[in-house]
Amino acid sequence: MTRFALTLEFDGGAFMGLQRQAHGPSVQQAVEEAVLSVTGETVTMHAAGRTDAGVHARAMRVHVDVTKAIAPFRLMEALNARLRLAGFPIAVLASEEKPDDWHARFSCVGRRYLYRIVNRRAPLTLDKGRAWNVKGGPLDALAMHEAAQALIGKHDFTTFRSTQCQSASPVKTLDLLTVRREGGEVLIEAAARSFLHHQVRSMVGCLALVGLGHWRIEQMREALEARERQALGHNAPPEGLYFMQAIYPDEG
Amino acid sequence: MTRFALTLEFDGGAFMGLQRQAHGPSVQQAVEEAVLSVTGETVTMHAAGRTDAGVHARAMRVHVDVTKAIAPFRLMEALNARLRLAGFPIAVLASEEKPDDWHARFSCVGRRYLYRIVNRRAPLTLDKGRAWNVKGGPLDALAMHEAAQALIGKHDFTTFRSTQCQSASPVKTLDLLTVRREGGEVLIEAAARSFLHHQVRSMVGCLALVGLGHWRIEQMREALEARERQALGHNAPPEGLYFMQAIYPDEG
């Protein structure tokens, strides 16, 4: 048995989510079926993050265990060929062997997300399904960045947590939350050991309220301290969210 | 009669080209029909560049003449609503009145294009139809940039000209051709007063041959000096090309 760590890029708009679902296509199902097709083996894919329907990945890390003798590069090439044939917008960017105790989810000590806002009145064309189109005036990215800093550190993030969140505790440590403008876009980066369900989208939704002037900068801290979902201002849509990086101790 | 200058963004993959075509949808037809729907007037759209099928625009400049009294902002909003309803991936980013002697094509004194290459073995997912996927090893962007400099200045660009090119002369002055790597992407920028048909794609195709080591750096100059289409190494596909900017004297 060999444990293979794969790096996946995918267009989340084509899936009901990363995890296997009863009611529609998932990244997990697509990859597991591609592995079955290549190796003849029924495997279970484990991932660093369980992204929702519509959420994209530039570098999701997953692992599968395979008995058949196959080199990492051959597995990657064969999976890409199968995924392409099946019409799934998933690409395997890297593939490597890992020790049996390496786990895509449980060994992961850091996750990084990017959220893209295209801030303009006109509808999206080239970026449709790839960003959140925020109309209603220019976002004040500096105010958003300042408001974001109230969330840094170890907090009870109940306000920013989906009611369906399965995490044992609402307490998380947010390491980074930056907001910057690049031309017509406002880019938000978030990093933590782990996130609650909907946490990034909930934080971004409230930051947008600050950026539009509907919330004072201090309301971000007030929302956090309220520790209740009713204090949430807005949940940003999934199509602007990208899983960018999973960090592991053995990879420095 | 008022002349309106519009700034268009569009996904070229949905069109047979910018200019009206007998055999399929065009940006021109979509915009002219939207103007008809808004104003009741049959207009002719003139554009700074005549992009091919699959070629995108981040800021194409066009103009239309309208008799109906309408403010530029109202025209933009109404056109965006109509284009969206019709399902065309075209957005009007800006709209302004211009003097009657201002012409989107003939007043334009500079055009700027961007060409995006995603340089990797794995197929594209999020960037499918938005970039050229060059496999076959890492492109040497420094060698490409050096080779590109042989094309700067006033030359007979017959080698890099489509056989269907309607320009009176193959002599053009290339002001800028830069190549740089950004992570997994190689970005090529080109600027000139005007370009021949297929010129940017033809130059990019040959630069990719240099980047892959199939051409020596000097072969770029040799291809230019051959002044014949047979010397062309490769024509890059349309989906990586973006019309980025049209420059006008009155806009400084």
Side-chain angles (χ1 to χ4, degrees):
Chain A
M1 195 279 297
T2 305
R3 182 153 291 185
F4 289 97
L6 307 174
T7 305
L8 304 184
E9 180 188 87
F10 57 81
D11 172 1
F15 302 98
M16 298 301 296
L18 183 134
Q19 274 198 298
R20 196 176 267 273
Q21 315 270 336
H23 55 296
S26 64
V27 175
Q28 184 181 359
Q29 185 186 351
V31 171
E32 288 174 357
E33 286 178 0
V35 173
L36 174 62
S37 165
V38 170
T39 65
E41 298 172 42
T42 301
V43 300
T44 300
M45 186 190 91
H46 297 270
R50 299 178 186 176
T51 51
D52 282 323
V55 176
H56 312 297
R58 282 292 183 188
M60 177 59 74
R61 297 296 293 278
V62 306
H63 82 254
V64 290
D65 292 334
V66 170
T67 304
K68 179 188 167 93
I70 186 168
F73 181 79
R74 302 291 299 168
L75 178 63
M76 173 172 71
E77 294 281 287
L79 291 176
N80 278 331
R82 291 308 196 295
L83 290 164
R84 186 177 225 169
L85 257 177
F88 289 116
I90 304 174
V92 183
L93 305 186
S95 169
E96 56 183 316
E97 290 184 22
K98 288 284 189 184
D100 292 357
D101 62 350
W102 188 95
H103 195 288
R105 181 175 171 203
F106 298 119
S107 303
C108 182
V109 294
R111 277 111 175 148
R112 200 165 63 81
Y113 284 92
L114 172 70
Y115 198 99
R116 282 183 67 201
I117 294 174
V118 175
N119 184 208
R120 70 183 196 196
R121 285 190 67 83
L124 303 186
T125 68
L126 289 160
D127 301 303
K128 194 172 177 192
R130 304 276 185 275
W132 181 23
N133 182 14
V134 174
K135 303 164 190 272
L139 289 166
D140 183 342
L142 289 175
M144 293 167 71
H145 182 77
E146 191 182 335
Q149 302 323 301
L151 304 186
I152 297 298
K154 187 174 179 180
H155 302 287
D156 178 334
F157 281 97
T158 297
T159 303
F160 304 97
R161 178 190 200 186
S162 157
T163 51
Q164 275 121 58
C165 182
Q166 290 168 22
S167 179
S169 160
V171 176
K172 292 287 175 188
T173 301
L174 184 63
D175 297 321
L176 178 116
L177 189 62
T178 62
V179 184
R180 69 179 192 278
R181 177 173 282 280
E182 280 191 10
E185 294 195 20
V186 174
L187 301 174
I188 298 155
E189 287 189 79
R193 184 178 180 97
S194 62
F195 290 92
L196 299 167
H197 189 219
H198 280 190
Q199 187 181 344
V200 180
R201 289 167 53 192
S202 295
M203 295 190 301
V204 168
C206 294
L207 288 174
L209 292 177
V210 172
L212 289 168
H214 301 328
W215 270 23
R216 288 169 288 106
I217 288 173
E218 302 73 38
Q219 274 179 274
M220 202 68 187
R221 181 184 301 279
E222 292 163 19
L224 174 71
E225 290 173 352
R227 284 177 213 147
E228 58 164 339
R229 188 70 178 163
Q230 273 68 34
L232 180 73
H234 187 78
N235 205 24
E239 64 263 28
L241 187 58
Y242 295 75
F243 187 98
M244 297 299 284
Q245 191 185 9
I247 296 161
Y248 298 91
D250 65 314
E251 296 175 357
Chain B
M1 194 280 299
T2 306
R3 180 153 294 184
F4 289 97
L6 307 173
T7 304
L8 304 183
E9 180 187 87
F10 58 80
D11 172 1
F15 302 99
M16 298 301 297
L18 183 133
Q19 274 198 297
R20 198 175 263 275
Q21 314 271 335
H23 56 295
S26 64
V27 175
Q28 184 181 357
Q29 185 186 350
V31 171
E32 289 174 356
E33 286 177 0
V35 173
L36 174 63
S37 165
V38 171
T39 65
E41 298 172 43
T42 301
V43 301
T44 300
M45 185 191 92
H46 297 271
R50 300 178 185 175
T51 51
D52 282 323
V55 176
H56 312 297
R58 281 291 182 187
M60 177 58 75
R61 296 297 293 278
V62 306
H63 82 255
V64 290
D65 292 335
V66 169
T67 304
K68 179 188 168 91
I70 186 168
F73 181 79
R74 302 291 301 168
L75 178 63
M76 173 172 70
E77 295 281 286
L79 290 177
N80 278 331
R82 290 310 195 295
L83 289 164
R84 187 177 224 171
L85 258 178
F88 289 117
I90 304 174
V92 183
L93 305 186
S95 168
E96 56 182 318
E97 291 185 22
K98 287 286 190 183
D100 291 359
D101 63 349
W102 188 94
H103 195 288
R105 181 175 172 203
F106 298 120
S107 302
C108 181
V109 295
R111 276 109 176 151
R112 200 165 62 82
Y113 283 93
L114 171 70
Y115 198 99
R116 282 184 68 202
I117 295 174
V118 176
N119 184 206
R120 70 182 196 196
R121 287 189 67 84
L124 304 186
T125 68
L126 289 160
D127 302 303
K128 196 175 177 190
R130 304 277 186 274
W132 180 23
N133 183 13
V134 174
K135 303 164 190 271
L139 290 166
D140 183 342
L142 289 175
M144 292 168 72
H145 182 77
E146 190 181 335
Q149 303 322 301
L151 303 186
I152 297 299
K154 188 175 178 180
H155 301 288
D156 178 334
F157 281 97
T158 297
T159 303
F160 304 98
R161 178 190 199 186
S162 158
T163 51
Q164 275 122 58
C165 181
Q166 288 167 23
S167 178
S169 159
V171 176
K172 293 287 175 189
T173 300
L174 184 63
D175 296 322
L176 177 117
L177 188 62
T178 62
V179 184
R180 68 180 193 276
R181 177 173 282 279
E182 281 191 10
E185 294 196 19
V186 173
L187 302 174
I188 298 155
E189 287 189 78
R193 184 177 180 98
S194 62
F195 289 92
L196 298 168
H197 189 221
H198 280 190
Q199 187 181 344
V200 179
R201 289 167 54 191
S202 296
M203 295 189 301
V204 168
C206 293
L207 288 174
L209 292 178
V210 172
L212 290 168
H214 300 329
W215 271 24
R216 289 168 288 107
I217 288 172
E218 302 72 38
Q219 273 177 275
M220 202 68 185
R221 181 184 301 280
E222 293 162 19
L224 175 71
E225 290 174 351
R227 284 176 213 146
E228 56 164 342
R229 189 69 179 164
Q230 273 68 34
L232 180 74
H234 188 77
N235 206 25
E239 64 264 27
L241 188 57
Y242 295 74
F243 187 97
M244 297 300 284
Q245 191 186 8
I247 297 160
Y248 298 91
D250 66 312
E251 296 176 358

